[in-house]
Amino acid sequence: MSKFWGRDSSDEEEEETTEEESSGEEESSDDDDDSSSEDESGSGSSDSDSDSDDEGPNKFLAGSSDSDSDDDRRVVKSEKDKRMGDLAQTAEDIRNKIKINDWSTIQELFDILNQRLERTRKFLVGPTVPRVYLKCLIELEDYLNETLGNKDLKKKMSQTNAKAFNTMRQRLKKHNINFADQMTKVRENPDEDDEEEDAESASSESESGDERDQEDRKHQQQQKAKDKLLTMDPKEITYEVVARKLREIVVSRGRRSTDKQEQVEMLTYLVTVARGSAQRFEVLAQLTSSLFDLNPGMMGHLQTGLWKKCVVNLFEMLRILQDNPNIKVEEGADSLEERTEQPPDGAEVRVWGNVVAFVERLDDELFKSLQVIDPHTHEYMARLRDEPVYLALGSKVLEYLQRVGDTTGSAKVALRLVEHLYYKTAAVYDAMRKLTLAQQHSAATPPVPVDEGEEEEPGAKVEVLVPSDYVMAEDCHELMHALVGGIIFKYGDERTKARAMMCYIYHKAIHDDFYGARDLLLMSHLQDSIQHMDVSTMILYNRAMAQLGLAAFRAGLIQEAHACLNELYGSGHIKELLAQGMSMGKYHEKTPEQELAEKRRQMPFHMHITLELLESAYLTCAMLLEVPNMAANPLNAKKKMISKSFHRIWDTYARQAFTGPPENVRDHIMAASRALAQGDWSKSFNYLKSLNAWNLLPKKDQVLGMLKVKVQEEAVRTYLLTYSSQYASLSLDQLASMFELPDKQIYSIASKMMIAEELLGAWDQPTRTIVMHASESSRVQRMALQLADKALAIVELNGLAFSYRSGGLRDADDEGGAGPGASRRRGGQWDDEGGAGGRSRGGTKLTLVRNLGGRGDRGDRSSVRSGPRSGGMGGRGGGGYRRDGGMGGGSYGDRVGGGPRGYGRPGMGSNLSSMSALGSLRGGSGGMGMGPRGDLRDSQRP
C-alpha cells in the first residue's frame, strides 16, 4: 500500500515540476519514473503472489495484469500527447457524469478541465483551443438547457445537486462568451477532425468505446460517399436497382447501428427515382414508417415538421391509389420480395402498406403534441390549424376504404374523425370550416413530396394546406349522424360503438338536446358496462356525463342535473375523472409510473370542460334541493340527505366563528344558501348572479332568468315550511308580493305542498288565504316533549331496577300472587285470572319498554281489582300486558270493578300514533299533549 500511495505522490510531483522544466527533460524523467514505478509494481505484485495460494485466482489475475502492462502500458509519449490525453479523459469523465445528472461532480471536473487546458495551451500554436474542449463545452451547454426545460428532472434533484446546477449555469454562461465564435464553427462542422484525432489516439486506452463509435461513423460516411446509387445518373437507375436498395433499407431497419436519419434521406431520394406507381407507393410507405421512427420516445411527440411530411406522403399515396385502381394495398404483403422487372401497366400489383395505421398514428402524434405544447402560446394555436388538414386526410382515407370495401378500417377511421368533431360547438365548427376554405383558396397546387435538400433537417418547416378537392360538410350534426349511424354502428366493434355513442351523447348535450342525449344513454345501457372498459373510455364517459348535467342545468332541470353531476363532484377527484390535471392528495402519494400514466391520458387544453362552471352548476342544484329539504326536517336535517358534498360544506361553514365576504364559488353558494334558508330570495339570487362562471355560458341571460325563477319558487317552499307554524293564515296576495311571483304559481306551489302533506293547511277560496291547522306544535314544544319523554323513561327504568334489586318483584314471582283477585306474573307476563300458582316458565320475558304507562294519582296499583278506593282516579291503565302483544290502555272507568271514572293513560299497542310517555289527557286523542293532574269523579271530559 505504501508503494501505491508513494507512486501517486511521485506522479503528482512530476506534473508540478514539468511546468518549469523543458519538454525534453520532462519526457526522459517521465519515462524513467514510469519504468521504475512499473518495476516496483511488478515486484509488489510478485511478492503478493508468493504470499498467496498457488491455486487461488490472484495468481491468474496478477499474471494477466503483468501481460497487459508488458503489451500496452510501456508506450513512450510526448508531453503534448500526455496533456491532450488528460484533457480528453476529463472531457470523457464530464460526459459520463452528464449521463447520471451529477452536477456536483461536473462542477469539480469543469475546474480540472480548465486547469488542464491551461497546461496544454503552451504546446499549441496561437489562440486556438482543442476541439475536444470545445465539444465538451457544447455538450455541457446543450445538456444544461435541456435540464433547464425539464421541470420533472429539476424537481427530482437533491438540494446539493440543484445548487451545483445553478452555479454551473451561471459559470458556463460567462465562460462560453470567450469561445462563442469557435463553438459556432464546431457546431457548423462537427465532423471535422484536426486536433481531436491526435488527442483520441493518445487516450486510446480510456476512450476505446468512443473511438469505435467514431470509426463506425467514418465507415458509414465512406460507404455513403461510395454509394453508387447517389453518384449515378437518375436516368440510369432501373427498377431493379431501386428495389434492391429498398430491400436493403428494410432489412437494416431497426438495427442498433443503423442511422435513422440516413435512411430517411436515402428513401427520400428513392422516391424521386422510383420507377412506376407501385414502386413509388412502396417507397413512400417505407419513408412514412421511417419518419415515425424518428420519434424520440413514448413521452415525446413527433416534431411538427416531420408530422407534416408524413401527411404530404399520405396525400401522395392516396393520389396514387386513386389514379391506379390496380394497386392493392395489403399489410400482409411481403416487403422483402425480390422484383427484377417492372410490372406492366394495368396489371394487379400487391404492395405493402396500411393507410389506416398511418392515419391512427398521425392522430396519436397530434394528440400528444397538443398535450405537451403550452396552451398559452402561439405555437399551440398554430398546431390547432393542422386539424383541418387531418380531417381532410381522414375523409380521403375513408373514401378510399369505402371504395375498396374495407368495412373494419372504415369504422376505425370514422371513429377518429368523430373524436375530432364531437366536442365542437356550432360556432367552433363554423370557424374551422372558414379556416378550411381559406387554406383551400391559398393553396395554388396540391401538396407534393419534399425535396432531398429539405429532408436533411428533421424539424424543417413544411407548409401543408387542405387539398382543393376536399369538401367539408356545412352542418356538423349531419356529419356526426352520418359517421356514427351510417358507418360505426354498422361495421364497428363493441369498443368502437361505445366510444362513438359517448361522443354522440356529448355532441347532443353541448347543443342543448338534453332529452335526446338522455335517451341515447339509457337505451345503450353504457352505465352498466362502463366499469369493464379501458381507462380512456371511462374518461370519455365521465366527460359525456358532465356535459349531460350542464345541458340539464341550462334547461332548468335541477334534479336531473344534480343526478348527473353528483357522482362526479362527490368523488373529490374530478380532475382525474375528467383527465384535466392531477390533484396531489395529502395522504395519497403516487409512484412515478402512476404519474407517467396520468400524464399520458391528459386531455389537451382546448378540450377541457371548465371545472369552475361544473362546480357552480352542481352546488347551485344542491342548494335548490337541500335548503327546502332541511327546512322540512328541522330536527334531523341529515335524515333525508340529498347531497353529501353540500352538507359537508354547509357544516364546515357553520362551524366558522367569523365568515367574511364571499370570494370563491363555495363562499357564494353558502352565502346564497343562508339567505335562501331565511326566505330572502333577492339576496340569494344576487349572490348567485355574481359568479363569474356564468359568463362562459352561451345564453347567460336566459340561464340567469331561469335561476331567478327557481330561487323564487324554492324560497316560497322554504318560507312556508319554516314559518307556517307561526301563522294562523297566510294571504295569497301577500306571498305573491313578497316573492314577486304570479298568483297562479304561488297557488300551484302551496297546493302541491298540501297534497304531499308538507304543509298542514287548506285554501279558503273566498278570502284567498291559506288557513293553517293548529295541531302542529312548534319546534320548542317538540324539543320539550322529547326532553320530558326521555326523563320519564329514565325514572321508570330506575324504579324497575330498584324494585328488582330490593326483591319486591322476585318475592311476588316466587309466591305466585297474594290472593285470588290479585294479578300475578306468569313467565314474564301478568296473569289477570288470579290464582295461587307458582311462577310459570312459559311466555315471553319481561322487557323494559321505553314508553310505559304511568301510575294513576290515587288509584289502586292494578286496574283489575274489584274494590278501588273512592274519590281517586282510575286504576293504572297501562299496567296490564295483553296477550296479543300490545299493552292495555286506560279507560273512562273501571275495567272490572265499579269504581269511579278516571282517566288512565293509554298504553303501548300496535298503533304507533298512540305511543307516548305521558299519554294524552285531552280528549283521548293519543297525542303527545300533557294534561293536568286532578280528581275527575263525576265529570266527564269532552
Side-chain angles (χ1 to χ4, degrees):
M1 295 298 293
S2 60
K3 293 181 180 181
F4 176 77
W5 292 109
R7 180 184 177 186
D8 286 345
S9 61
S10 63
D11 291 341
E12 293 178 358
E13 292 175 358
E14 288 173 6
E15 291 180 357
E16 294 178 357
T17 54
T18 49
E19 296 180 0
E20 302 175 356
E21 298 177 357
S22 61
S23 59
E25 295 175 353
E26 289 169 351
E27 291 176 8
S28 60
S29 63
D30 288 340
D31 295 340
D32 296 338
D33 291 339
D34 291 340
S35 60
S36 62
S37 61
E38 288 170 0
D39 295 339
E40 291 175 358
S41 63
S43 62
S45 63
S46 62
D47 294 337
S48 62
D49 292 339
S50 62
D51 295 338
S52 61
D53 191 4
D54 294 339
E55 297 178 358
N58 294 332
K59 183 177 181 180
F60 172 75
L61 295 176
S64 62
S65 62
D66 291 342
S67 62
D68 292 340
S69 62
D70 293 340
D71 297 338
D72 300 333
R73 295 185 181 178
R74 295 179 181 178
V75 179
V76 179
K77 300 178 182 178
S78 64
E79 183 66 18
K80 178 181 178 181
D81 294 340
K82 285 186 177 182
R83 298 305 176 192
M84 292 294 293
D86 293 341
L87 191 68
Q89 178 61 38
T90 308
E92 179 62 22
D93 293 340
I94 291 177
R95 292 189 186 97
N96 293 333
K97 298 303 178 183
I98 284 176
K99 296 177 182 178
I100 61 174
N101 199 30
D102 187 0
W103 287 100
S104 301
T105 311
I106 291 174
Q107 187 178 359
E108 298 175 0
L109 291 174
F110 186 70
D111 296 335
I112 298 174
L113 183 70
N114 292 330
Q115 293 176 3
R116 293 188 173 179
L117 176 67
E118 295 299 326
R119 296 177 183 176
T120 310
R121 272 189 169 178
K122 62 183 179 180
F123 301 106
L124 303 176
V125 179
T128 58
V129 180
R131 290 180 64 88
V132 64
Y133 180 80
L134 295 175
K135 281 194 171 186
C136 183
L137 292 182
I138 291 172
E139 293 177 6
L140 263 177
E141 184 178 5
D142 294 343
Y143 183 69
L144 192 143
N145 294 332
E146 181 183 352
T147 307
L148 195 63
N150 193 343
K151 296 182 180 179
D152 296 337
L153 188 60
K154 289 177 64 179
K155 289 181 181 178
K156 294 179 182 178
M157 288 185 183
S158 61
Q159 186 176 2
T160 306
N161 202 21
K163 185 178 180 181
F165 171 75
N166 294 329
T167 305
M168 195 65 197
R169 181 180 63 177
Q170 297 174 1
R171 289 185 57 187
L172 197 65
K173 184 177 180 181
K174 296 178 181 178
H175 183 269
N176 288 357
I177 296 176
N178 302 325
F179 307 98
D181 298 336
Q182 301 181 35
M183 290 172 63
T184 304
K185 294 180 181 178
V186 174
R187 286 182 185 273
E188 293 175 354
N189 301 310
D191 296 331
E192 288 186 359
D193 298 327
D194 43 8
E195 296 141 353
E196 186 178 2
E197 253 184 41
D198 300 335
E200 288 175 355
S201 62
S203 59
S204 59
E205 301 165 356
S206 61
E207 295 181 333
S208 58
D210 287 343
E211 279 188 354
R212 294 192 199 99
D213 295 339
Q214 290 181 0
E215 288 177 0
D216 292 339
R217 291 196 204 101
K218 293 177 183 178
H219 179 69
Q220 291 175 2
Q221 291 175 0
Q222 292 174 0
Q223 293 295 329
K224 182 179 178 181
K226 295 179 181 180
D227 198 332
K228 296 181 180 180
L229 188 63
L230 297 176
T231 57
M232 290 175 60
D233 187 3
K235 298 180 180 179
E236 300 177 356
I237 299 176
T238 61
Y239 179 90
E240 184 180 0
V241 173
V242 176
R244 188 185 305 113
K245 188 63 180 178
L246 180 63
R247 189 164 56 254
E248 292 177 4
I249 294 174
V250 172
V251 170
S252 63
R253 182 184 170 192
R255 292 182 179 177
R256 190 172 184 179
S257 59
T258 303
D259 190 352
K260 297 178 181 179
Q261 184 60 35
E262 181 183 350
Q263 279 192 340
V264 170
E265 295 174 1
M266 180 58 67
L267 288 171
T268 306
Y269 178 73
L270 289 180
V271 171
T272 60
V273 298
R275 304 303 179 190
S277 300
Q279 192 176 55
R280 182 179 176 83
F281 182 91
E282 285 184 314
V283 177
L284 284 172
Q286 295 294 339
L287 175 60
T288 306
S289 300
S290 299
L291 287 174
F292 285 138
D293 291 341
L294 297 178
N295 189 11
M298 289 294 296
M299 286 302 298
H301 63 91
L302 197 65
Q303 297 182 13
T304 305
L306 298 178
W307 187 89
K308 291 181 177 180
K309 291 176 182 178
C310 294
V311 173
V312 171
N313 294 336
L314 277 176
F315 275 127
E316 179 66 16
M317 293 164 63
L318 292 173
R319 187 190 62 79
I320 293 174
L321 293 175
Q322 185 177 1
D323 297 340
N324 301 274
N326 58 313
I327 299 177
K328 304 298 180 182
V329 182
E330 296 180 5
E331 190 177 6
D334 188 8
S335 58
L336 301 177
E337 182 181 356
E338 296 185 4
R339 297 176 182 175
T340 57
E341 296 182 358
Q342 181 178 353
D345 296 338
E348 183 176 341
V349 182
R350 296 172 63 253
V351 295
W352 176 87
N354 190 347
V355 290
V356 177
F358 290 156
V359 170
E360 291 180 338
R361 180 64 184 274
L362 284 174
D363 186 23
D364 295 338
E365 296 297 336
L366 177 62
F367 188 85
K368 288 195 292 184
S369 65
L370 291 173
Q371 283 179 322
V372 175
I373 300 174
D374 186 2
H376 305 289
T377 59
H378 293 288
E379 184 183 1
Y380 192 87
M381 299 300 296
R383 198 73 179 100
L384 284 177
R385 292 177 178 271
D386 296 332
E387 195 172 17
V389 178
Y390 179 80
L391 291 177
L393 176 64
S395 300
K396 286 186 169 294
V397 172
L398 184 60
E399 292 175 1
Y400 163 74
L401 294 174
Q402 290 178 334
R403 188 169 63 248
V404 299
D406 188 358
T407 56
T408 304
S410 300
K412 292 181 180 179
V413 176
L415 179 62
R416 295 288 178 164
L417 295 178
V418 166
E419 290 179 351
H420 278 271
L421 296 171
Y422 77 96
Y423 59 89
K424 289 180 172 57
T425 60
V428 175
Y429 184 80
D430 292 339
M432 189 174 66
R433 190 169 180 273
K434 292 179 181 179
L435 175 63
T436 303
L437 295 175
Q439 290 186 3
Q440 287 178 337
H441 289 311
S442 61
T445 56
V448 294
V450 186
D451 295 334
E452 182 185 1
E454 298 181 4
E455 192 70 33
E456 293 179 358
E457 299 180 3
K461 294 183 179 180
V462 180
E463 186 178 3
V464 182
L465 300 176
V466 180
S468 57
D469 56 346
Y470 169 66
V471 179
M472 193 171 183
E474 296 183 2
D475 191 1
C476 186
H477 299 283
E478 295 180 358
L479 180 59
M480 284 287 296
H481 183 72
L483 292 174
V484 175
I487 299 176
I488 297 178
F489 282 172
K490 289 184 178 179
Y491 311 116
D493 54 7
E494 293 301 323
R495 181 181 181 274
T496 304
K497 292 179 181 178
R499 290 186 67 89
M501 177 61 74
M502 294 174 196
C503 293
Y504 203 31
I505 293 171
Y506 189 106
H507 185 75
K508 282 184 172 293
I510 63 176
H511 289 85
D512 295 329
D513 187 6
F514 168 75
Y515 292 104
R518 182 199 63 181
D519 294 342
L520 288 176
L521 178 65
L522 296 178
M523 288 188 299
S524 61
H525 298 283
L526 287 173
Q527 63 273 18
D528 300 331
S529 60
I530 190 61
Q531 298 295 334
H532 307 288
M533 297 185 182
D534 56 296
V535 177
S536 62
T537 308
M538 292 181 185
I539 292 172
L540 183 57
Y541 175 80
N542 295 335
R543 287 167 54 81
M545 290 300 298
Q547 286 295 350
L548 194 62
L550 291 178
F553 179 78
R554 291 192 296 267
L557 305 173
I558 302 300
Q559 291 184 351
E560 289 80 355
H562 182 270
C564 293
L565 299 177
N566 186 30
E567 190 173 357
L568 276 176
Y569 194 85
S571 65
H573 302 281
I574 190 168
K575 288 185 178 180
E576 287 82 355
L577 293 177
L578 298 178
Q580 295 182 190
M582 294 181 291
S583 58
M584 303 302 294
K586 186 176 181 180
Y587 302 104
H588 300 280
E589 295 184 358
K590 296 180 180 179
T591 61
E593 292 78 10
Q594 291 175 341
E595 291 184 2
L596 189 62
E598 287 281 348
K599 288 181 180 179
R600 287 179 182 174
R601 63 173 72 109
Q602 294 298 304
M603 304 300 294
F605 182 77
H606 70 284
M607 298 174 65
H608 282 192
I609 303 173
T610 309
L611 297 180
E612 184 180 359
L613 179 59
L614 278 177
E615 185 178 17
S616 303
Y618 171 74
L619 291 180
T620 303
C621 295
M623 179 194 73
L624 295 175
L625 295 175
E626 277 292 356
V627 173
N629 183 48
M630 290 189 295
N633 302 280
L635 296 180
N636 189 4
K638 297 183 179 180
K639 184 178 181 180
K640 296 180 180 180
M641 189 183 301
I642 299 175
S643 175
K644 291 184 179 180
S645 302
F646 181 84
H647 273 279
R648 192 183 308 116
I649 301 172
W650 178 272
D651 295 340
T652 302
Y653 277 79
R655 289 193 297 267
Q656 291 182 356
F658 174 75
T659 304
E663 296 179 357
N664 53 20
V665 175
R666 293 187 178 184
D667 294 343
H668 283 81
I669 298 296
M670 288 298 108
S673 302
R674 290 195 184 96
L676 184 61
Q678 298 173 1
D680 191 353
W681 71 269
S682 60
K683 188 177 181 181
S684 176
F685 176 69
N686 289 332
Y687 280 124
L688 292 179
K689 187 179 179 181
S690 60
L691 288 172
N692 297 325
W694 310 131
N695 297 325
L696 302 173
L697 295 174
K699 299 178 182 179
K700 175 184 175 182
D701 297 335
Q702 181 179 349
V703 173
L704 289 179
M706 177 272 299
L707 272 182
K708 182 178 179 181
V709 174
K710 292 293 182 182
V711 170
Q712 288 173 328
E713 292 177 353
E714 299 304 325
V716 172
R717 295 186 70 247
T718 306
Y719 187 82
L720 292 176
L721 290 170
T722 305
Y723 301 109
S724 61
S725 61
Q726 309 299 328
Y727 291 92
S729 63
L730 278 172
S731 173
L732 177 63
D733 299 332
Q734 184 182 359
L735 289 175
S737 62
M738 284 176 60
F739 297 100
E740 299 181 6
L741 287 175
D743 295 348
K744 292 183 178 180
Q745 201 164 354
I746 295 290
Y747 189 90
S748 174
I749 294 172
S751 299
K752 289 179 180 178
M753 294 178 66
M754 293 175 188
I755 295 172
E757 297 182 356
E758 295 177 352
L759 181 63
L760 299 179
W763 281 106
D764 188 8
Q765 296 294 341
T767 59
R768 292 168 56 88
T769 58
I770 304 175
V771 180
M772 300 297 177
H773 295 168
S775 62
E776 183 71 18
S777 59
S778 66
R779 183 172 182 269
V780 178
Q781 292 172 343
R782 288 193 295 269
M783 293 182 68
L785 290 175
Q786 286 183 356
L787 178 62
D789 190 7
K790 293 179 181 179
L792 184 63
I794 293 174
V795 172
E796 292 289 342
L797 290 175
N798 288 339
L800 289 174
F802 179 75
S803 300
Y804 189 80
R805 190 171 185 178
S806 61
L809 293 177
R810 289 179 295 184
D811 294 343
D813 292 342
D814 294 335
E815 292 174 1
S823 62
R824 59 184 178 85
R825 255 179 99 190
R826 177 188 294 173
Q829 293 183 349
W830 292 100
D831 188 6
D832 296 338
E833 297 176 357
R839 179 183 297 179
S840 175
R841 299 298 180 183
T844 58
K845 293 182 179 180
L846 178 63
T847 57
L848 299 181
V849 186
R850 181 172 177 268
N851 294 325
L852 292 173
R855 182 181 298 175
D857 188 18
R858 289 185 181 178
D860 292 332
R861 296 180 60 91
S862 177
S863 62
V864 299
R865 291 185 179 181
S866 59
R869 295 173 58 183
S870 61
M873 296 233 357
R876 183 165 122 184
Y881 280 81
R882 294 182 179 177
R883 299 179 184 274
D884 55 356
M887 194 171 175
S891 61
Y892 285 96
D894 294 339
R895 300 183 58 185
V896 177
R901 311 184 82 175
Y903 284 87
R905 300 191 186 104
M908 185 174 69
S910 59
N911 187 6
L912 296 179
S913 64
S914 65
M915 278 178 27
S916 173
L918 300 178
S920 176
L921 302 181
R922 294 183 178 179
S925 60
M928 297 176 68
M930 182 185 298
R933 299 174 62 188
D935 294 341
L936 302 173
R937 296 179 181 176
D938 301 326
S939 61
Q940 294 183 1
R941 298 292 294 270

